Amino acid sequence: MSQSLPPLTAIRAFEATARHLSFTQAAAELGMTQAAVSYQIKLLEERVGAPLFLRKPRQIALSELGAKLAPEVTRAFDTMREAFADTRGRADGTLAISSVPIFASHWLAQNVGLFQVDHPDIAVRIESDVRLTDFTADEIDVVIRGTRKILPGLVGHLLIKADFTPMLSPGLAATIGGIREPADLLKLPFVNSEDDWFELWFEQAGVKDRTVPQRPISLLGSQNLEAAAAVAGRGIAMLSAGFYGDELASGRLIQPFDLLASDGHGYYLVYPETRRNSPKIRAFRDWIVEATAPLRGEG
């Protein structure tokens, strides 16, 4: 049986080259010379009896056979990577979570201790980040991201819809005698007048003349910072309502209208399909999906 499988070095060279479509980049990733990668590919092609790549001037492309083989080989390597990653994770007992800042600060940090009470054998490490995560390279088990679509090979569970509505400080609203109708908001400064959510919300609110007065533009880069500016009375911020219950309850912010608009975004728990049965991921998935049910209006 062992003789029926081509040399692992050749398979690794093929998988990396197929991903990069470059002998040079594959060689850099594998710590080999370009000539060594080409040699391993040649050995593999001799083994299968057909070309796996089409050599063109200054570029290569997968042959028909190579295109059929590459996804299966990549999937096999992903499965092995995840198996070793899961073994490492069980050994150190740590669940590594990467979350967008808004979810990390307004929900996860406040509630993750409840997960650890139920699962004292699992330590939790949280990173606040918005970057795309490479699960094969980064030491991250699950991510929480705002998105409309879950990419192939990943599993996603909706935690909360990113429905949004304008919020502002009571003091700012008082400067124009209060907010009675959506059009009144146009009399006040916006924290970020370039935010596309304003246009969508006003459209759904039926405000026909949505001309925003020309004011200096602030690009604060995160909903957390925009909310802080709104609390300070600097302007109206378009915020995901589910995250700001405390600010509304304390009166630091007001939500003048019940209307929640949507652009299809939601905050999802995401992890590789190959790791869906990892014990620590399964435990966290089951806990957080149930714990966030009230945010989705369930339960």
Side-chain angles (χ1 to χ4, degrees):
M1 290 296 292
S2 62
Q3 293 180 350
S4 64
L5 187 68
L8 183 58
T9 302
I11 299 174
R12 290 179 66 229
F14 168 71
E15 192 273 336
T17 304
R19 251 189 304 115
H20 295 294
L21 289 180
S22 166
F23 290 123
T24 301
Q25 293 183 43
E29 176 182 315
L30 298 174
M32 302 168 64
T33 65
Q34 182 176 340
V37 170
S38 298
Y39 176 71
Q40 292 298 328
I41 297 297
K42 182 180 179 181
L43 289 180
L44 192 59
E45 289 176 328
E46 290 176 353
R47 184 69 174 265
V48 300
L52 298 173
F53 294 96
L54 303 176
R55 277 77 167 175
K56 301 178 180 181
R58 297 186 178 181
Q59 63 177 335
I60 59 172
L62 286 163
S63 68
E64 183 177 354
L65 178 61
K68 291 180 179 179
L69 185 61
E72 299 299 327
V73 172
T74 297
R75 189 173 299 115
F77 271 98
D78 284 344
T79 299
M80 287 190 289
R81 290 187 189 102
E82 299 300 345
F84 282 106
D86 187 40
T87 299
R88 183 182 66 245
R90 284 199 300 269
D92 62 23
T94 299
L95 177 73
I97 305 168
S98 173
S99 173
V100 289
I102 180 67
F103 193 93
S105 62
H106 283 264
W107 194 90
L108 188 58
Q110 301 170 22
N111 293 279
V112 73
L114 300 175
F115 169 74
Q116 293 184 283
V117 169
D118 292 341
H119 302 275
D121 57 324
I122 302 176
V124 174
R125 174 169 60 86
I126 299 175
E127 296 182 4
S128 181
D129 207 340
V130 297
R131 295 179 299 112
L132 290 175
T133 297
D134 181 354
F135 285 102
T136 65
D138 300 334
E139 293 187 357
I140 293 295
D141 295 303
V142 299
V143 302
I144 297 171
R145 293 289 186 269
T147 185
R148 291 190 183 95
K149 181 180 180 182
I150 304 301
L151 297 177
L154 300 176
V155 179
H157 303 274
L158 178 64
L159 303 179
I160 179 175
K161 294 180 180 178
D163 297 347
F164 49 87
T165 192
M167 296 186 186
L168 68 161
S169 70
L172 183 62
T175 62
I176 58 170
I179 307 295
R180 296 176 177 80
E181 58 183 16
D184 289 339
L185 296 171
L186 295 169
K187 303 173 184 177
L188 294 170
F190 297 161
V191 171
N192 176 10
S193 59
E194 295 291 287
D195 189 340
D196 293 337
W197 282 2
F198 277 108
E199 180 69 18
L200 289 171
W201 190 89
F202 279 119
E203 180 180 357
Q204 294 185 32
V207 178
K208 294 182 179 179
D209 182 7
R210 300 190 291 273
T211 303
V212 179
Q214 292 299 314
R215 298 184 176 96
I217 296 172
S218 298
L219 300 175
L220 299 182
S222 80
Q223 198 175 150
N224 275 339
L225 296 178
E226 292 179 0
V231 168
R234 301 295 181 256
I236 302 167
M238 197 64 70
L239 304 174
S240 296
F243 292 128
Y244 295 96
D246 289 346
E247 287 80 359
L248 293 172
S250 67
R252 286 176 290 164
L253 287 175
I254 60 172
Q255 179 185 330
F257 306 102
D258 293 335
L259 174 64
L260 299 178
S262 173
D263 64 354
H265 267 79
Y267 293 93
Y268 288 80
L269 174 72
V270 181
Y271 51 86
E273 198 169 54
T274 54
R275 301 205 67 198
R276 66 186 313 153
N277 292 320
S278 163
K280 63 181 179 180
I281 291 178
R282 185 169 63 243
F284 185 71
R285 174 194 67 208
D286 294 347
W287 172 81
I288 197 171
V289 169
E290 180 179 356
T292 55
L295 299 180
R296 299 187 298 277
E298 302 172 3

